[in-house]
Amino acid sequence: QVQLVESGGGLVQAGGSLRLSCAASGRTFSSVGMGWFRQVPGKEREFVAAINWSGGSTYTADSVKDRFTISRDNAKNTVYLQMNSLKPEDTAVYYCAARNSGASGLGYTIYNYHYWGQGTQVTVSS
């Protein structure tokens, strides 16, 4: 069982930065792939970024490429999403997700993930 708790969301002006953190509990954290997704009301949850078990492989959606960076610290059981040059269209609830035990690689869709956090709101003002 893995429990995920996101933090770091808030209100920021366009062009600003935020760093989201996702603290995980559970013994399998360091061996599974992790991801970040976001969702706005009335729309489907959207893939943002993924990272493999070691942090050696990452993938970022085209919509945030070169602005967002995913990373992890297995010693701290934490995954991060550094968000720079934020735009109003980045406004959403951001969710951290963990793959199931044995799934150590990248996951690109919601169906690749088994555990979800409660979400943290990010609002970017113009």
Side-chain angles (χ1 to χ4, degrees):
Q1 188 77 8
V2 175
Q3 292 184 324
L4 306 172
V5 178
E6 301 100 332
S7 61
L11 174 64
V12 64
Q13 288 189 333
S17 298
L18 283 175
R19 188 176 81 156
L20 304 183
S21 299
C22 173
S25 64
R27 294 180 296 173
T28 62
F29 170 82
S30 61
S31 64
V32 301
M34 300 289 294
W36 286 96
F37 290 75
R38 65 187 183 185
Q39 189 170 24
V40 297
K43 291 192 174 182
E44 294 184 351
R45 195 164 293 190
E46 176 191 18
F47 169 80
V48 175
I51 190 165
N52 76 332
W53 70 277
S54 66
S57 181
T58 64
Y59 184 80
T60 308
D62 287 344
S63 59
V64 301
K65 194 176 292 292
D66 298 328
R67 299 189 297 120
F68 290 12
T69 303
I70 188 171
S71 62
R72 68 190 296 163
D73 185 339
N74 285 345
K76 296 182 178 179
N77 273 19
T78 302
V79 63
Y80 304 97
L81 185 68
Q82 178 66 45
M83 305 186 295
N84 299 328
S85 302
L86 282 160
K87 304 175 181 180
E89 51 264 43
D90 294 319
T91 296
V93 176
Y94 283 72
Y95 296 91
C96 172
R99 302 195 71 187
N100 207 352
S101 178
S104 60
L106 302 177
Y108 307 103
T109 77
I110 60 172
Y111 305 106
N112 295 142
Y113 293 87
H114 193 71
Y115 301 100
W116 293 85
Q118 82 289 350
T120 185
Q121 176 71 45
V122 171
T123 303
V124 184
S125 63
S126 57

